[in-house]
Amino acid sequence: MRGRQWRVVPHPGPIGGEQHTGGRSGALRAAIFGVNDGLVSNVSLIFGVAGAGVDNQVVILAGIAGLLAGAFSMGAGEYISVRVQREVFERLIHLEAHEIGSEPEAEREELAAIYVRKGLPDDLADRLATELMRDPAVALETHAREELGLDPQMGLGSPVAAASASFVTFASGALLPLLPFLFASGGAAILASAALSGAALFGVGAAMTYLTARGAFYSGARMLAIGAAAAAITYLVGKALDVGVGV
Ligand SMILES: [Zn+2]
């Protein structure tokens, strides 16, 4: 069954709730959250280290380590998650195909029962199930959607592509708060980093309104407040733990 192609019919969504994570909005969503993760995590890390008043080189080292550690962690997590999702998906589809092949009548009744539960009259549910069971490909797709709550397009994503996208988006978010420290040091770098990160947090928050259709200003300000709070807390912790390294 591996690599089997389905004709996919647009569908309002399976019983098990919305499973639609694919498509362009899914990729946009993943990109926005990847950048956001990198940004918030490295802003907090860099401000914590900078708050301790260490040498500029130490801030840069911590920022690069934070960027790489986070990006690898996100990439690895994404790889495993997509792989496992795909394996589970393939196993369920395989079992379902086997059942449709070996017990078509039981599967037809099962499908009819699902439509009766959805409120269709018995005779209509029966006819619908019979028609849908005629073509094995349609039968399998219908069972996948109606019974298992799976979207046949789901699980076909590439784990490597998902992992790479995660890595790149996290790294680009994490790079922003680090940039000023590559060109300046001390208070000037901290201020520039705060301004750059603040603008980026606001931008990411506002970009999320493509998904939520809420006010861009409110969403941007909320993201900025969350990021600023995280950075302020780690900065104060850094200051409290200031052990006088470097300087
Ligand atoms: Zn079935």
Short mmCIF file of all heavy atoms in Angstrom, two decimals, residues 181-238:
data_model
loop_
_atom_site.label_atom_id
_atom_site.label_comp_id
_atom_site.label_asym_id
_atom_site.label_seq_id
_atom_site.Cartn_x
_atom_site.Cartn_y
_atom_site.Cartn_z
N PHE A 181 24.92 41.96 18.86
CA PHE A 181 26.12 41.63 19.63
C PHE A 181 27.31 41.27 18.73
O PHE A 181 28.44 41.22 19.19
CB PHE A 181 25.83 40.47 20.61
CG PHE A 181 24.85 40.87 21.67
CD1 PHE A 181 23.49 40.65 21.51
CD2 PHE A 181 25.29 41.48 22.84
CE1 PHE A 181 22.58 41.04 22.48
CE2 PHE A 181 24.39 41.87 23.82
CZ PHE A 181 23.02 41.65 23.64
N LEU A 182 27.01 41.00 17.45
CA LEU A 182 28.09 40.70 16.51
C LEU A 182 28.77 41.99 16.05
O LEU A 182 29.88 41.97 15.54
CB LEU A 182 27.54 39.94 15.30
CG LEU A 182 26.83 38.62 15.59
CD1 LEU A 182 26.24 38.03 14.30
CD2 LEU A 182 27.77 37.61 16.23
N PHE A 183 28.07 43.13 16.21
CA PHE A 183 28.61 44.40 15.72
C PHE A 183 28.89 45.40 16.82
O PHE A 183 29.58 46.38 16.62
CB PHE A 183 27.64 45.03 14.71
CG PHE A 183 27.31 44.11 13.56
CD1 PHE A 183 26.10 43.43 13.51
CD2 PHE A 183 28.25 43.89 12.56
CE1 PHE A 183 25.81 42.58 12.46
CE2 PHE A 183 27.96 43.04 11.51
CZ PHE A 183 26.75 42.37 11.46
N ALA A 184 28.31 45.18 18.00
CA ALA A 184 28.50 46.12 19.11
C ALA A 184 28.55 45.33 20.41
O ALA A 184 28.42 44.10 20.40
CB ALA A 184 27.35 47.12 19.14
N SER A 185 28.76 46.04 21.51
CA SER A 185 28.78 45.32 22.79
C SER A 185 28.18 46.21 23.88
O SER A 185 27.84 47.38 23.63
CB SER A 185 30.20 44.92 23.15
OG SER A 185 31.00 46.08 23.29
N GLY A 186 28.04 45.65 25.08
CA GLY A 186 27.54 46.40 26.23
C GLY A 186 26.12 46.90 26.06
O GLY A 186 25.29 46.28 25.38
N GLY A 187 25.87 48.09 26.67
CA GLY A 187 24.53 48.66 26.67
C GLY A 187 23.97 48.92 25.29
O GLY A 187 22.78 48.71 25.04
N ALA A 188 24.83 49.36 24.36
CA ALA A 188 24.37 49.66 23.00
C ALA A 188 23.82 48.40 22.33
O ALA A 188 22.76 48.43 21.71
CB ALA A 188 25.53 50.23 22.17
N ALA A 189 24.56 47.29 22.48
CA ALA A 189 24.12 46.03 21.88
C ALA A 189 22.83 45.55 22.52
O ALA A 189 21.91 45.07 21.83
CB ALA A 189 25.21 44.97 22.02
N ILE A 190 22.74 45.68 23.85
CA ILE A 190 21.52 45.25 24.55
C ILE A 190 20.31 46.05 24.08
O ILE A 190 19.25 45.49 23.78
CB ILE A 190 21.70 45.38 26.09
CG1 ILE A 190 22.74 44.36 26.58
CG2 ILE A 190 20.36 45.17 26.81
CD1 ILE A 190 23.00 44.40 28.07
N LEU A 191 20.49 47.37 23.97
CA LEU A 191 19.39 48.23 23.50
C LEU A 191 18.98 47.88 22.07
O LEU A 191 17.79 47.76 21.76
CB LEU A 191 19.80 49.70 23.57
CG LEU A 191 19.58 50.40 24.91
CD1 LEU A 191 20.03 51.85 24.84
CD2 LEU A 191 18.10 50.32 25.30
N ALA A 192 19.99 47.73 21.20
CA ALA A 192 19.70 47.41 19.80
C ALA A 192 18.99 46.06 19.70
O ALA A 192 18.04 45.88 18.93
CB ALA A 192 20.98 47.39 18.99
N SER A 193 19.45 45.10 20.51
CA SER A 193 18.84 43.76 20.50
C SER A 193 17.40 43.83 20.99
O SER A 193 16.51 43.19 20.42
CB SER A 193 19.66 42.81 21.37
OG SER A 193 19.04 41.55 21.42
N ALA A 194 17.17 44.62 22.05
CA ALA A 194 15.81 44.76 22.58
C ALA A 194 14.90 45.38 21.52
O ALA A 194 13.76 44.92 21.33
CB ALA A 194 15.82 45.61 23.85
N ALA A 195 15.40 46.42 20.83
CA ALA A 195 14.58 47.10 19.81
C ALA A 195 14.28 46.16 18.64
O ALA A 195 13.12 46.03 18.20
CB ALA A 195 15.30 48.35 19.32
N LEU A 196 15.32 45.47 18.16
CA LEU A 196 15.16 44.57 17.03
C LEU A 196 14.22 43.41 17.37
O LEU A 196 13.31 43.07 16.60
CB LEU A 196 16.55 44.02 16.64
CG LEU A 196 16.67 43.24 15.34
CD1 LEU A 196 16.23 44.10 14.15
CD2 LEU A 196 18.12 42.78 15.13
N SER A 197 14.44 42.82 18.56
CA SER A 197 13.60 41.70 18.99
C SER A 197 12.17 42.15 19.21
O SER A 197 11.22 41.43 18.87
CB SER A 197 14.15 41.10 20.28
OG SER A 197 15.50 40.78 20.13
N GLY A 198 12.02 43.35 19.79
CA GLY A 198 10.67 43.88 20.03
C GLY A 198 9.92 44.04 18.73
O GLY A 198 8.75 43.64 18.61
N ALA A 199 10.60 44.62 17.73
CA ALA A 199 9.95 44.82 16.42
C ALA A 199 9.60 43.47 15.80
O ALA A 199 8.51 43.29 15.24
CB ALA A 199 10.88 45.60 15.50
N ALA A 200 10.51 42.50 15.92
CA ALA A 200 10.27 41.18 15.34
C ALA A 200 9.12 40.46 16.05
O ALA A 200 8.27 39.83 15.41
CB ALA A 200 11.53 40.33 15.40
N LEU A 201 9.07 40.57 17.39
CA LEU A 201 7.98 39.95 18.14
C LEU A 201 6.64 40.54 17.72
O LEU A 201 5.66 39.82 17.51
CB LEU A 201 8.18 40.17 19.65
CG LEU A 201 9.20 39.27 20.34
CD1 LEU A 201 9.58 39.83 21.70
CD2 LEU A 201 8.67 37.85 20.48
N PHE A 202 6.62 41.87 17.59
CA PHE A 202 5.39 42.53 17.16
C PHE A 202 5.01 42.04 15.76
O PHE A 202 3.84 41.73 15.49
CB PHE A 202 5.57 44.04 17.16
CG PHE A 202 4.30 44.78 16.90
CD1 PHE A 202 3.47 45.14 17.95
CD2 PHE A 202 3.91 45.09 15.61
CE1 PHE A 202 2.27 45.80 17.71
CE2 PHE A 202 2.71 45.75 15.36
CZ PHE A 202 1.89 46.11 16.41
N GLY A 203 6.01 41.95 14.88
CA GLY A 203 5.75 41.49 13.51
C GLY A 203 5.22 40.06 13.47
O GLY A 203 4.26 39.77 12.75
N VAL A 204 5.81 39.19 14.26
CA VAL A 204 5.36 37.79 14.30
C VAL A 204 3.94 37.71 14.85
O VAL A 204 3.08 37.01 14.31
CB VAL A 204 6.32 36.93 15.16
CG1 VAL A 204 5.68 35.61 15.50
CG2 VAL A 204 7.63 36.71 14.43
N GLY A 205 3.69 38.47 15.91
CA GLY A 205 2.34 38.50 16.49
C GLY A 205 1.32 38.98 15.48
O GLY A 205 0.24 38.42 15.33
N ALA A 206 1.68 40.06 14.75
CA ALA A 206 0.77 40.61 13.75
C ALA A 206 0.57 39.62 12.61
O ALA A 206 -0.53 39.47 12.08
CB ALA A 206 1.30 41.93 13.21
N ALA A 207 1.65 38.89 12.23
CA ALA A 207 1.54 37.90 11.16
C ALA A 207 0.57 36.78 11.53
O ALA A 207 -0.07 36.18 10.66
CB ALA A 207 2.92 37.32 10.83
N MET A 208 0.47 36.49 12.84
CA MET A 208 -0.44 35.42 13.27
C MET A 208 -1.90 35.74 12.95
O MET A 208 -2.74 34.84 12.92
CB MET A 208 -0.30 35.18 14.78
CG MET A 208 0.93 34.39 15.13
SD MET A 208 1.09 34.17 16.91
CE MET A 208 2.71 33.41 16.97
N THR A 209 -2.20 37.01 12.72
CA THR A 209 -3.58 37.36 12.41
C THR A 209 -4.00 36.86 11.03
O THR A 209 -5.18 36.83 10.72
CB THR A 209 -3.82 38.89 12.48
OG1 THR A 209 -2.92 39.54 11.57
CG2 THR A 209 -3.56 39.40 13.88
N TYR A 210 -3.03 36.43 10.21
CA TYR A 210 -3.39 35.75 8.96
C TYR A 210 -4.14 34.47 9.28
O TYR A 210 -4.96 34.00 8.50
CB TYR A 210 -2.14 35.38 8.16
CG TYR A 210 -1.60 36.52 7.32
CD1 TYR A 210 -0.34 37.03 7.56
CD2 TYR A 210 -2.37 37.05 6.29
CE1 TYR A 210 0.16 38.07 6.79
CE2 TYR A 210 -1.89 38.09 5.52
CZ TYR A 210 -0.62 38.60 5.77
OH TYR A 210 -0.14 39.62 5.01
N LEU A 211 -3.82 33.88 10.42
CA LEU A 211 -4.45 32.62 10.81
C LEU A 211 -5.69 32.86 11.66
O LEU A 211 -6.67 32.14 11.58
CB LEU A 211 -3.46 31.76 11.61
CG LEU A 211 -2.08 31.54 10.99
CD1 LEU A 211 -1.12 30.96 12.01
CD2 LEU A 211 -2.20 30.62 9.79
N THR A 212 -5.65 33.87 12.54
CA THR A 212 -6.74 34.05 13.49
C THR A 212 -7.78 35.05 13.02
O THR A 212 -8.88 35.08 13.55
CB THR A 212 -6.20 34.55 14.84
OG1 THR A 212 -5.55 35.81 14.63
CG2 THR A 212 -5.19 33.57 15.42
N ALA A 213 -7.41 35.91 12.02
CA ALA A 213 -8.31 36.95 11.53
C ALA A 213 -8.73 37.91 12.64
O ALA A 213 -9.84 38.43 12.64
CB ALA A 213 -9.54 36.34 10.84
N ARG A 214 -7.84 38.13 13.61
CA ARG A 214 -8.12 39.11 14.66
C ARG A 214 -7.33 40.38 14.37
O ARG A 214 -6.58 40.45 13.42
CB ARG A 214 -7.72 38.56 16.03
CG ARG A 214 -8.76 37.62 16.59
CD ARG A 214 -8.20 36.88 17.79
NE ARG A 214 -9.10 35.81 18.18
CZ ARG A 214 -10.03 35.93 19.13
NH1 ARG A 214 -10.16 37.04 19.79
NH2 ARG A 214 -10.80 34.90 19.42
N GLY A 215 -7.46 41.36 15.24
CA GLY A 215 -6.77 42.62 15.02
C GLY A 215 -5.26 42.45 15.05
O GLY A 215 -4.71 41.82 15.96
N ALA A 216 -4.57 42.99 14.02
CA ALA A 216 -3.13 42.83 13.91
C ALA A 216 -2.40 43.56 15.04
O ALA A 216 -1.42 43.06 15.60
CB ALA A 216 -2.64 43.34 12.56
N PHE A 217 -2.89 44.75 15.41
CA PHE A 217 -2.19 45.52 16.44
C PHE A 217 -2.27 44.81 17.79
O PHE A 217 -1.28 44.64 18.49
CB PHE A 217 -2.78 46.94 16.57
CG PHE A 217 -2.04 47.76 17.58
CD1 PHE A 217 -0.85 48.39 17.24
CD2 PHE A 217 -2.51 47.88 18.88
CE1 PHE A 217 -0.14 49.12 18.19
CE2 PHE A 217 -1.81 48.61 19.83
CZ PHE A 217 -0.62 49.24 19.48
N TYR A 218 -3.45 44.34 18.14
CA TYR A 218 -3.64 43.64 19.40
C TYR A 218 -2.75 42.40 19.46
O TYR A 218 -2.06 42.15 20.45
CB TYR A 218 -5.11 43.25 19.57
CG TYR A 218 -5.34 42.30 20.72
CD1 TYR A 218 -5.34 42.76 22.03
CD2 TYR A 218 -5.54 40.94 20.49
CE1 TYR A 218 -5.53 41.90 23.09
CE2 TYR A 218 -5.72 40.06 21.54
CZ TYR A 218 -5.72 40.55 22.84
OH TYR A 218 -5.91 39.68 23.89
N SER A 219 -2.76 41.63 18.37
CA SER A 219 -2.00 40.38 18.33
C SER A 219 -0.49 40.66 18.41
O SER A 219 0.25 39.95 19.10
CB SER A 219 -2.34 39.63 17.04
OG SER A 219 -1.73 38.38 17.03
N GLY A 220 -0.04 41.71 17.71
CA GLY A 220 1.37 42.09 17.75
C GLY A 220 1.77 42.53 19.15
O GLY A 220 2.82 42.13 19.67
N ALA A 221 0.92 43.37 19.78
CA ALA A 221 1.23 43.88 21.11
C ALA A 221 1.26 42.74 22.13
O ALA A 221 2.10 42.71 23.04
CB ALA A 221 0.18 44.92 21.51
N ARG A 222 0.37 41.78 21.97
CA ARG A 222 0.32 40.65 22.90
C ARG A 222 1.61 39.83 22.81
O ARG A 222 2.21 39.46 23.82
CB ARG A 222 -0.89 39.76 22.56
CG ARG A 222 -1.06 38.59 23.51
CD ARG A 222 -2.31 37.82 23.21
NE ARG A 222 -2.30 37.27 21.86
CZ ARG A 222 -3.31 36.59 21.33
NH1 ARG A 222 -4.41 36.39 22.03
NH2 ARG A 222 -3.24 36.11 20.11
N MET A 223 2.04 39.56 21.55
CA MET A 223 3.28 38.79 21.37
C MET A 223 4.47 39.55 21.94
O MET A 223 5.36 38.97 22.57
CB MET A 223 3.48 38.55 19.87
CG MET A 223 4.40 37.41 19.53
SD MET A 223 3.78 35.85 20.13
CE MET A 223 5.07 35.46 21.30
N LEU A 224 4.48 40.87 21.72
CA LEU A 224 5.56 41.71 22.23
C LEU A 224 5.59 41.65 23.75
O LEU A 224 6.66 41.52 24.36
CB LEU A 224 5.36 43.16 21.75
CG LEU A 224 6.34 44.21 22.27
CD1 LEU A 224 7.77 43.84 21.91
CD2 LEU A 224 5.99 45.59 21.70
N ALA A 225 4.41 41.71 24.38
CA ALA A 225 4.33 41.68 25.84
C ALA A 225 4.86 40.34 26.38
O ALA A 225 5.61 40.30 27.36
CB ALA A 225 2.89 41.91 26.30
N ILE A 226 4.49 39.24 25.71
CA ILE A 226 4.93 37.93 26.17
C ILE A 226 6.46 37.80 26.06
O ILE A 226 7.14 37.39 27.01
CB ILE A 226 4.25 36.81 25.34
CG1 ILE A 226 2.74 36.78 25.66
CG2 ILE A 226 4.88 35.45 25.63
CD1 ILE A 226 1.94 35.89 24.73
N GLY A 227 7.00 38.19 24.89
CA GLY A 227 8.44 38.11 24.69
C GLY A 227 9.20 39.02 25.63
O GLY A 227 10.23 38.63 26.19
N ALA A 228 8.67 40.24 25.83
CA ALA A 228 9.34 41.20 26.71
C ALA A 228 9.35 40.68 28.14
O ALA A 228 10.35 40.82 28.86
CB ALA A 228 8.64 42.56 26.63
N ALA A 229 8.24 40.08 28.56
CA ALA A 229 8.17 39.55 29.92
C ALA A 229 9.20 38.44 30.11
O ALA A 229 9.92 38.40 31.12
CB ALA A 229 6.76 39.03 30.21
N ALA A 230 9.30 37.53 29.11
CA ALA A 230 10.26 36.43 29.21
C ALA A 230 11.69 36.98 29.29
O ALA A 230 12.50 36.54 30.13
CB ALA A 230 10.12 35.50 28.01
N ALA A 231 12.00 37.97 28.42
CA ALA A 231 13.35 38.53 28.41
C ALA A 231 13.64 39.28 29.70
O ALA A 231 14.75 39.20 30.25
CB ALA A 231 13.52 39.46 27.20
N ALA A 232 12.64 40.02 30.22
CA ALA A 232 12.84 40.79 31.44
C ALA A 232 13.12 39.86 32.63
O ALA A 232 14.00 40.13 33.45
CB ALA A 232 11.61 41.65 31.73
N ILE A 233 12.38 38.75 32.68
CA ILE A 233 12.57 37.80 33.79
C ILE A 233 13.98 37.20 33.75
O ILE A 233 14.69 37.20 34.75
CB ILE A 233 11.49 36.69 33.76
CG1 ILE A 233 10.13 37.29 34.12
CG2 ILE A 233 11.85 35.57 34.72
CD1 ILE A 233 8.96 36.37 33.84
N THR A 234 14.40 36.72 32.57
CA THR A 234 15.73 36.11 32.51
C THR A 234 16.82 37.16 32.73
O THR A 234 17.85 36.88 33.32
CB THR A 234 15.97 35.39 31.17
OG1 THR A 234 15.75 36.29 30.10
CG2 THR A 234 15.08 34.18 31.03
N TYR A 235 16.56 38.40 32.27
CA TYR A 235 17.54 39.48 32.47
C TYR A 235 17.72 39.71 33.97
O TYR A 235 18.87 39.81 34.47
CB TYR A 235 17.05 40.76 31.80
CG TYR A 235 18.03 41.91 31.86
CD1 TYR A 235 19.12 41.96 31.00
CD2 TYR A 235 17.86 42.93 32.80
CE1 TYR A 235 20.02 43.01 31.05
CE2 TYR A 235 18.76 43.99 32.86
CZ TYR A 235 19.84 44.02 31.99
OH TYR A 235 20.74 45.06 32.05
N LEU A 236 16.62 39.76 34.71
CA LEU A 236 16.70 39.99 36.16
C LEU A 236 17.35 38.80 36.87
O LEU A 236 18.13 38.99 37.80
CB LEU A 236 15.29 40.28 36.73
CG LEU A 236 14.69 41.61 36.26
CD1 LEU A 236 13.25 41.76 36.76
CD2 LEU A 236 15.55 42.79 36.73
N VAL A 237 17.02 37.60 36.41
CA VAL A 237 17.67 36.41 36.99
C VAL A 237 19.17 36.47 36.73
O VAL A 237 20.00 36.22 37.62
CB VAL A 237 17.07 35.11 36.41
CG1 VAL A 237 17.90 33.90 36.82
CG2 VAL A 237 15.64 34.91 36.86
N GLY A 238 19.54 36.85 35.50
CA GLY A 238 20.95 37.00 35.15
C GLY A 238 21.65 38.01 36.03
O GLY A 238 22.74 37.79 36.54
#
